[in-house]
Amino acid sequence: MRIFAISDLHLPGGDDKPMDVFGDHWAGHFERICEDWRAKVAPEDTVLIAGDVSWAMQLADAVPDLQAIGALPGRKLLIKGNHEYWWSTLKQVRAVLPQGMEAIQHTAVDLGPAVVCGTRGWSFPVAGDPFSAEDQRVLSRELIRLELALQAAVRVADGRPIIVMLHYPPLYDQVRDTPFTQLIARYPVHTVVYGHLHGQAVHAGFNGEHEGVRYMLTSCDSLRFSLAEVPLQA
């Protein structure tokens, strides 16, 4: 079994919302993702989707987008992104997911060769940037949720690799010591996949190893609308 990752598919959610308004490179982006997906992913493989699946505002409007992803090969695990306004309760989301697709919300899933856990995440204080009291409140809540996810993963991992899914970046290329990386470093995490960054912001993302943990930016435009394989070996 192989594990792949991608995020920020930004499917239309029932509206005519072409993504090429964000640049010509977005033209036909989902068709390009699907072509790459079908070429790489076997039925026994798993694809991690780190948030922002659909622009839909209501759960019913997200269903066609979820079904389109569900029709692609492999098992799919997804977490909530910052644009997931359609994501109501976890129970309601799970009720409409196609077969072979699962939602993670500060929980963990045993894939066999690896254990995957995750939550949405949030921004963190960066020198020179404003950080409100509300931001701090949400950050504290998301750190609690991430720790719950990590604890759930450790309970079942038994030495197998732990993969963390976050939507928001847990670090940047120039800012690596953050509340998220500090928490992650306290657990036996193998790889962290994250998204959220687009356009020029992709250059601020970090891909590589920090304190023994591999970090992978997986927003689809940063990957040129293809899937990245998550290697399980060191």
Side-chain angles (χ1 to χ4, degrees):
M1 187 197 80
R2 300 164 71 192
I3 299 175
F4 297 90
I6 195 166
S7 67
D8 301 87
L9 303 182
H10 288 295
L11 300 186
D15 294 325
D16 183 14
K17 198 173 181 70
M19 286 297 292
D20 57 7
V21 298
F22 299 106
D24 291 342
H25 62 295
W26 279 93
H29 79 289
F30 187 55
E31 290 77 10
R32 292 152 63 192
I33 291 169
C34 290
E35 182 179 2
D36 181 75
W37 190 314
R38 293 190 184 102
K40 290 177 177 175
V41 180
E44 66 271 16
D45 296 335
T46 297
V47 179
L48 311 180
I49 306 173
D52 278 2
V53 166
S54 173
W55 286 110
M57 300 296 290
Q58 304 296 326
L59 181 58
D61 294 328
V63 169
D65 294 339
L66 296 170
Q67 290 175 336
I69 297 168
L72 294 167
R75 183 180 184 181
K76 300 94 180 171
L77 302 181
L78 68 154
I79 59 170
K80 185 177 184 179
N82 64 302
H83 289 295
E84 238 80 76
Y85 299 110
W86 56 270
W87 189 301
S88 48
T89 68
L90 185 59
K91 181 179 179 180
Q92 290 172 321
V93 170
R94 285 174 170 167
V96 301
L97 291 179
Q99 184 176 3
M101 184 180 291
E102 300 162 69
I104 298 178
Q105 190 166 292
H106 48 275
T107 51
V109 173
D110 189 341
L111 294 182
V115 175
V116 178
C117 67
T119 188
R120 183 187 63 174
W122 194 246
S123 55
F124 48 83
V126 175
D129 290 342
F131 200 74
S132 68
E134 176 61 15
D135 282 327
Q136 184 59 55
R137 185 188 70 80
V138 178
L139 170 61
S140 297
R141 182 190 69 196
E142 287 299 314
L143 288 169
I144 291 170
R145 289 177 170 176
L146 175 57
E147 185 147 36
L148 289 172
L150 289 164
Q151 290 171 347
V154 166
R155 283 196 292 270
V156 297
D158 193 25
R160 289 172 294 162
I162 293 175
I163 300 171
V164 174
M165 296 173 68
L166 292 166
H167 178 66
Y168 281 90
L171 79 176
Y172 296 111
D173 187 48
Q174 300 300 317
V175 185
R176 302 185 191 179
D177 184 26
T178 75
F180 288 103
T181 60
Q182 291 166 11
L183 174 57
I184 288 166
R186 298 204 297 267
Y187 288 84
V189 174
H190 184 280
T191 299
V192 177
V193 300
Y194 69 96
H196 187 65
L197 300 179
H198 301 291
Q200 290 302 309
V202 164
H203 301 296
F206 176 74
N207 283 290
E209 188 174 304
H210 174 67
E211 295 190 335
V213 179
R214 180 189 293 115
Y215 288 85
M216 299 175 60
L217 172 60
T218 64
S219 52
C220 64
D221 50 329
S222 76
L223 298 176
R224 294 185 172 88
F225 307 103
S226 61
L227 276 65
E229 185 166 4
V230 181
L232 297 183
Q233 302 302 315

